[in-house]
């Protein structure tokens, strides 16, 4: 695997992780806002943000293992699995977020808009990382992804 691509993927995800950390703080703060605290989407949104954080960690962990020369017969499969699972996790952000802030009061609109923007940044970083991995793997990306789909079919709460 090309070291340059792995480094680029890692760096892109670091930027996404920074946005995720801010979103996580805002989301935690939403629990103190009366108009949002009891919204049905708040807990799933918070869980989605955490899911994305775990996904960033998983991809970076796989890249670290590859860079450290660990013998991993399925390294490419792990990278594709981690990135594609991260893509799936990110798809849950927007619908859960919109449900969480549906009846937000006007005094927190700025936090809602900031969170929306950060969610977009997170999703863009994930798309960028996947694009880089697709460039790295070429046709093998789709071949590997089709093989791992059944593993990803684990129900998500």
């Amino acid at each position: 695997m090309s070291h340059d691509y792995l480094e680029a993927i890692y760096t892109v995800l670091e930027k996404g992780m920074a946005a995720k950390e801010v979103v996580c703080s805002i989301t935690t703060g939403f629990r103190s806002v009366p108009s949002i605290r009891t919204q049905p989407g708040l807990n799933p949104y918070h869980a989605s943000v955490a899911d994305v954080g775990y996904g960033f960690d998983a991809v970076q962990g796989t890249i670290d293992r590859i860079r450290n020369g660990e013998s991993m017969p399925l390294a490419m499969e792990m990278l594709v699995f981690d990135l594609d699972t991260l893509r799936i996790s990110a798809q849950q952000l927007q619908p859960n977020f919109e449900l969480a802030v549906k009846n937000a009061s006007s005094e927190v609109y700025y936090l809602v808009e900031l969170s929306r923007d950060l969610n977009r940044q997170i999703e863009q970083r994930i798309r960028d990382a996947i694009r880089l991995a697709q460039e790295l793997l070429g046709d093998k990306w789709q071949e590997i992804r089709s093989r791992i789909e059944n593993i990803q079919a684990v129900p998500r709460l």
Side-chain angles (χ1 to χ4, degrees), residues 49-111:
V49 172
D51 227 13
V52 166
Y54 297 138
F56 283 141
D57 290 342
V59 176
Q60 290 180 320
T62 297
I63 291 172
D64 282 340
R65 292 172 70 188
I66 294 167
R67 289 193 300 199
N68 291 333
E70 186 174 326
S71 176
M72 294 176 14
L74 300 174
M76 289 186 290
E77 285 78 0
M78 286 179 63
L79 184 64
V80 172
F81 177 83
D82 291 341
L83 282 167
D84 200 53
T85 301
L86 183 55
R87 176 190 61 81
I88 293 166
S89 295
Q91 287 177 345
Q92 299 173 10
L93 285 175
Q94 276 314 108
N96 288 331
F97 175 76
E98 294 303 330
L99 193 56
V101 300
K102 187 175 182 181
N103 295 313
S105 56
S106 59
E107 70 265 8
V108 294
Y109 282 168
Y110 72 100
L111 288 175

Side-chain angles (χ1 to χ4, degrees), residues 5-47:
Y5 274 105
L6 293 176
E7 192 61 39
I9 293 167
Y10 197 96
T11 300
V12 163
L13 292 180
E14 280 183 331
K15 293 175 183 175
M17 181 63 97
K20 194 267 333 165
E21 291 297 328
V22 177
V23 165
C24 193
S25 295
I26 293 171
T27 303
T28 300
F30 280 168
R31 294 187 189 286
S32 65
V33 177
S35 63
I36 297 177
R37 178 180 25 236
T38 58
Q39 286 297 100
L42 184 56
N43 287 337
Y45 176 58
H46 190 76

Side-chain angles (χ1 to χ4, degrees), residues 79-148:
L79 184 64
V80 172
F81 177 83
D82 291 341
L83 282 167
D84 200 53
T85 301
L86 183 55
R87 176 190 61 81
I88 293 166
S89 295
Q91 287 177 345
Q92 299 173 10
L93 285 175
Q94 276 314 108
N96 288 331
F97 175 76
E98 294 303 330
L99 193 56
V101 300
K102 187 175 182 181
N103 295 313
S105 56
S106 59
E107 70 265 8
V108 294
Y109 282 168
Y110 72 100
L111 288 175
V112 170
E113 286 309 309
L114 177 60
S115 296
R116 255 191 205 106
D117 183 50
L118 290 165
N119 285 337
R120 282 191 289 271
Q121 288 180 41
I122 290 166
E123 291 169 347
Q124 183 59 50
R125 298 298 182 228
I126 292 168
R127 282 192 298 273
D128 292 346
I130 289 171
R131 180 187 48 75
L132 288 165
Q134 288 170 332
E135 288 176 19
L136 170 66
L137 297 171
D139 293 338
K140 284 187 171 190
W141 170 272
Q142 191 53 41
E143 176 189 320
I144 292 169
R145 199 178 97 45
S146 65
R147 284 196 321 258
I148 63 158

